[in-house]
Amino acid sequence: MELRILGACPLDCPDTCSWEVTVRDGQAVGLRGNRDHPYTRGALCVKVNRYLEHTRAHDRILHPMRRVGPKGSGEFERISWDEALTIVSDRLTEIVREHGGEAIWPYQGTGTLGYVQGSEGEAGRRSWNVLGASRHHLNICSTAGNDGLRLTNGTPGGMDPETFALSRLILLWGTNTLTSGHHLWKFIQDARANGAHVVAIDPIRTRTADQADTFLPIRPGTDAALALGLLNVVLEEGAEDTAYLEEHTLGWEEFKAEILQYPPARVAEITGLAEEDIRALGVRLAHTRPTGIRATMGLQRHEGGGAALRIIACIPGVTGDWRHPGGGVAYSTTAHVPLKVDSGDHLLREPVRTLTMTRLAGQLDESVKCLWVYGANPLGSTPDQNRIRAAMRREDLFTVVMEQFPTDTVDYADIVLPATMQTEHMDLHQGYGHMYLMWNEPAVEPAGECLSTTETFRRLARHMGLTEPSLYDSDLEIAEGLLSGTPGITLDRLRKEGWARLDVADPFVPFTDGFPTPSGRLEFASDRAAAAGLPRVAGYVPSRTARTAGADREYPLMMITPASHTSLNTTFGNNPELLRRSKGPRVLVNAADAEPRGLVDGEPARVFNRNGQFTAYVEISDRVRPGVVAAPKGHWPKLSPGGANPNATVDERDADMGRGAVYHDNLVDIARL
């Protein structure tokens, strides 16, 4: 008997594909993108095409385990679920009694974005609130940009990416669409067929930049200056939309004064771009309606990341593009999704502290007695890798990891709990790069003794004797609650059809009824920003590397860590075929920087700074400009030469807003091995 089961990709990608699993005799034998879904259109990515193979991998964790060797050794013995939950329950009870609930750090990541099983719905939060555990600030991905967009627009929500098909000028700003969200490209192709011009703005000549009509190799961390320079040209051309500015914006005269400080000649010095290229794009921007800007998360991972998105969001306020289908900025569509997440905050008996995801190295101190990791691999993905490793060696730290594979983080666990994969549990998803909700129906039974996140927490609650009724809600009950505020979309409908478009106009034009700011207008100047200690008027905040590059003679190279084409963060970092295709850890170096260092193409080199070092194979390439190097993220340290990846060199430091991460704000040097 053969069945077709509709589901959705759970991974940290804007496309959140709708997929179909073919099941024969209880086994998943086929996986493809859903041809009926308007965004997925039948295609998955090179990574997810191997998902079924991944669920059957030889190194998958299938049973609970207890550590028997030193922390970091990865030596475990198999135990039963009852043994595991007894050990965990006893330790948590002891920790809460002796140190208080705040001594527990529930460290959740974006390994799945599901609203039932994953980070979007804060799975497990109810249990942590009952225990009084510390809050976890999941800031690793997009918080700086979110906050910057809120200051301008009142929300990170913007364009429906499908409306890029209607754009006449498309700016792909700090985003490698063909690697990190390739389904958007079909809509860009539709726009091109109607004469649209595509511009890639990126420190690297990516796959996407290769396909663009214009490529601007910007210096990392200087995007806000470029945005101001482009608007300077718009003013020179007299192309600002005066009616839109008058009717829909606040603080224009103040912001205009800021723009006038950034003529193209000055911006060329800051960004490393040619003045004539800045001017040419500014003229094109001035006279092309609608202009759509795609800016994603890599753009804001530096010290001025929030300011960069704040100013980029101002561009369609000046040009009036927010009034047009196909005009505006697309960053994340999550804010348009009216799901009701009930994480049980009312269950907290008293306020608790918040611990920050990217501050794990510094905040994993003696006050933390239990680190509970799920949907995350901090030893592969979090800044200041060496200090994290040292902190996780503490013998008094009780570490529980819920995982599918033996990551570097698993090697430091005291108890490992086997987790289901997407084909084995139910979940509710929305794409942060489109306007659809999707249901994931389990296609097969869980492998081995794996349990879903929700079932693990239900069993833990029983073992601990917790009596709060909501801790025992079924997955379907959780999903019903999430959908209770979603017009026209019921759980029954989603389970039958697999997906549904949000109840919004098509084409969707945001802010037609005003902006969700205090003034109801797009705010070039913000009292909220001033109250938070930020500049009242949107302006350029350079990254640290942009400020100091060239002055730091010991570490003169600006390093960024872009997404790999063959892994998603560290997911798939152990897949043999995708590892083979990645050709191992690499660092792209311009010939002008390689020659004086004696670097040889294809040979290993040491990339280092004050924080640490990692080993990568040199790729001498003009894809990066002189002074800039790029080391793709996603490699597991334990599977890399030298036992480290680029995060060994990344500072534990905050962006200007949201305590965002600064992965692309890093100075290093490189030496031959």
Side-chain angles (χ1 to χ4, degrees):
M1 180 179 178
E2 189 167 284
L3 300 174
R4 171 178 168 266
I5 308 296
L6 293 177
C9 178
L11 301 178
D12 186 7
C13 166
D15 290 7
T16 309
C17 291
S18 175
W19 71 27
E20 304 170 5
V21 183
T22 301
V23 178
R24 188 181 304 129
D25 298 327
Q27 301 295 315
V29 297
L31 177 70
R32 64 166 301 135
N34 186 348
R35 292 174 175 172
D36 297 329
H37 192 275
Y39 203 79
T40 303
R41 296 188 185 181
L44 301 176
C45 68
V46 67
K47 302 172 278 286
V48 176
N49 277 329
R50 312 193 77 86
Y51 194 84
L52 291 186
E53 168 192 303
H54 207 51
T55 66
R56 297 187 287 265
H58 71 91
D59 57 345
R60 182 155 177 204
I61 297 170
L62 299 175
H63 310 283
M65 299 187 295
R66 171 172 51 199
R67 178 171 62 89
V68 294
K71 289 197 172 189
S73 67
E75 297 174 16
F76 298 96
E77 65 177 4
R78 177 178 171 179
I79 58 176
S80 69
W81 266 103
D82 187 66
E83 288 177 284
L85 290 172
T86 297
I87 294 168
V88 170
S89 299
D90 290 349
R91 285 298 298 273
L92 290 181
T93 301
E94 176 188 351
I95 288 168
V96 172
R97 183 179 64 248
E98 296 185 4
H99 304 282
E102 286 183 314
I104 303 169
W105 186 346
Y107 193 98
Q108 184 179 23
T110 58
T112 171
L113 298 186
Y115 277 84
V116 178
Q117 308 295 347
S119 58
E120 293 287 10
E122 299 184 73
R125 171 59 60 187
R126 295 178 187 177
S127 296
W128 301 127
N129 285 340
V130 168
L131 294 175
S134 293
R135 285 191 173 278
H136 174 66
H137 180 35
L138 204 163
N139 68 318
I140 203 164
C141 184
S142 57
T143 54
N146 285 339
D147 283 9
L149 288 161
R150 286 190 186 98
L151 290 177
T152 299
N153 296 336
T155 172
M159 291 174 64
D160 174 358
E162 290 186 47
T163 62
F164 276 102
L166 305 174
S167 304
R168 299 304 302 273
L169 173 62
I170 297 173
L171 307 186
L172 300 175
W173 205 321
T175 184
N176 183 6
T177 303
L178 289 173
T179 284
S180 301
H182 71 90
H183 293 81
L184 178 63
W185 195 253
K186 293 185 284 286
F187 299 96
I188 293 172
Q189 287 177 314
D190 291 343
R192 269 185 150 167
N194 291 318
H197 187 88
V198 178
V199 180
I201 303 168
D202 203 297
I204 310 172
R205 197 179 78 246
T206 61
R207 291 169 181 259
T208 303
D210 284 340
Q211 299 299 317
D213 299 302
T214 300
F215 169 50
L216 297 183
I218 193 169
R219 184 174 290 136
T222 63
D223 305 277
L226 176 59
L228 289 165
L230 296 176
L231 288 175
N232 188 287
V233 178
V234 170
L235 293 183
E236 280 186 4
E237 295 288 304
E240 65 271 31
D241 188 328
T242 53
Y244 193 87
L245 289 166
E246 176 67 26
E247 296 169 13
H248 299 289
T249 72
L250 177 73
W252 167 237
E253 290 302 325
E254 294 172 80
F255 185 54
K256 181 178 179 180
E258 185 75 15
I259 293 170
L260 293 175
Q261 296 181 49
Y262 288 87
R266 181 187 178 194
V267 173
E269 292 180 2
I270 294 169
T271 62
L273 299 173
E275 180 180 347
E276 57 268 29
D277 291 340
I278 297 168
R279 190 172 296 279
L281 180 56
V283 170
R284 190 181 290 275
L285 172 65
H287 301 292
T288 309
R289 306 274 77 76
T291 290
I293 303 172
R294 177 62 163 168
T296 52
M297 290 65 200
L299 172 63
Q300 45 89 67
R301 291 182 181 141
H302 62 82
E303 200 168 282
L309 266 297
R310 183 183 179 188
I311 288 186
I312 288 171
C314 292
I315 293 174
V318 177
T319 61
D321 274 296
W322 281 123
R323 70 165 86 238
H324 303 295
V329 178
Y331 181 70
S332 170
T333 58
T334 298
H336 298 309
V337 179
L339 294 176
K340 290 187 175 180
V341 176
D342 177 12
S343 53
D345 287 350
H346 65 284
L347 302 175
L348 272 173
R349 289 191 290 270
E350 56 188 26
V352 296
R353 67 179 178 176
T354 296
L355 298 172
T356 302
M357 188 175 196
T358 56
R359 289 282 181 164
L360 182 61
Q363 293 183 346
L364 190 58
D365 57 21
E366 298 294 329
S367 70
V368 179
K369 301 300 181 183
C370 173
L371 179 69
W372 188 297
V373 180
Y374 56 122
N377 179 18
L379 268 172
S381 298
T382 306
D384 215 340
Q385 190 173 92
N386 293 327
R387 289 177 63 215
I388 295 173
R389 195 184 305 275
M392 292 188 71
R393 288 197 182 104
R394 278 175 36 209
E395 283 299 327
D396 68 319
L397 176 68
F398 180 58
T399 301
V400 179
V401 180
M402 299 163 62
E403 248 297 353
Q404 300 157 352
F405 294 98
T407 64
D408 290 79
T409 304
V410 164
D411 287 348
Y412 287 81
D414 294 289
I415 296 291
V416 181
L417 303 178
T420 48
M421 295 182 70
Q422 188 74 347
T423 51
E424 301 162 355
H425 58 231
M426 59 180 62
D427 212 339
L428 177 63
H429 290 266
Q430 58 85 26
Y432 63 87
H434 59 63
M435 305 290 284
Y436 299 89
L437 287 178
M438 282 162 294
W439 178 256
N440 184 78
E441 191 73 16
V444 295
E445 291 297 314
E449 296 183 276
C450 296
L451 295 181
S452 67
T453 302
T454 48
E455 181 59 20
T456 297
F457 282 111
R458 283 190 286 264
R459 293 195 186 187
L460 176 64
R462 288 192 195 95
H463 239 82
M464 297 190 73
L466 303 179
T467 58
E468 165 55 40
S470 66
L471 302 185
Y472 301 98
D473 284 357
S474 70
D475 291 355
L476 292 176
E477 288 172 326
I478 294 170
E480 288 278 14
L482 287 161
L483 290 165
S484 61
T486 307
I489 304 178
T490 65
L491 182 57
D492 283 345
R493 177 188 170 191
L494 275 182
R495 294 190 76 183
K496 289 175 184 175
E497 300 176 11
W499 57 272
R501 182 173 169 84
L502 298 178
D503 185 25
V504 296
D506 189 6
F508 173 65
V509 180
F511 314 129
T512 54
D513 298 321
F515 291 80
T517 58
S519 66
R521 293 167 171 251
L522 182 149
E523 296 190 352
F524 298 123
S526 167
D527 290 338
R528 290 174 297 147
L534 297 167
R536 171 179 157 77
V537 179
Y540 169 47
V541 176
S543 67
R544 179 180 291 185
T545 53
R547 292 198 312 271
T548 60
D552 191 331
R553 296 186 180 181
E554 190 173 1
Y555 304 111
L557 301 175
M558 306 170 75
M559 187 179 80
I560 59 176
T561 55
S564 166
H565 202 68
T566 57
S567 67
L568 202 161
N569 304 322
T570 62
T571 302
F572 304 112
N574 59 324
N575 183 280
E577 176 57 21
L578 294 174
L579 273 172
R580 184 190 67 79
R581 293 188 192 185
S582 76
K583 300 178 182 178
R586 294 173 298 127
V587 58
L588 277 67
V589 187
N590 190 278
D593 297 314
E595 184 176 353
R597 291 168 173 80
L599 303 178
V600 178
D601 193 77
E603 291 193 357
R606 182 172 65 96
V607 186
F608 61 98
N609 62 15
R610 296 175 182 90
N611 294 323
Q613 64 181 26
F614 66 98
T615 299
Y617 298 98
V618 172
E619 183 176 326
I620 298 176
S621 173
D622 62 359
R623 290 189 175 275
V624 289
R625 57 184 299 146
V628 176
V629 298
K633 65 179 179 178
H635 288 279
W636 289 13
K638 66 195 282 186
L639 300 181
S640 302
N645 71 15
N647 289 327
T649 66
V650 176
D651 285 341
E652 188 181 69
R653 179 164 48 88
D654 295 341
D656 54 340
M657 300 180 197
R659 304 206 73 176
V662 294
Y663 292 103
H664 303 326
D665 198 357
N666 193 11
L667 290 173
V668 301
D669 205 351
I670 307 178
R672 293 182 66 180
L673 284 179

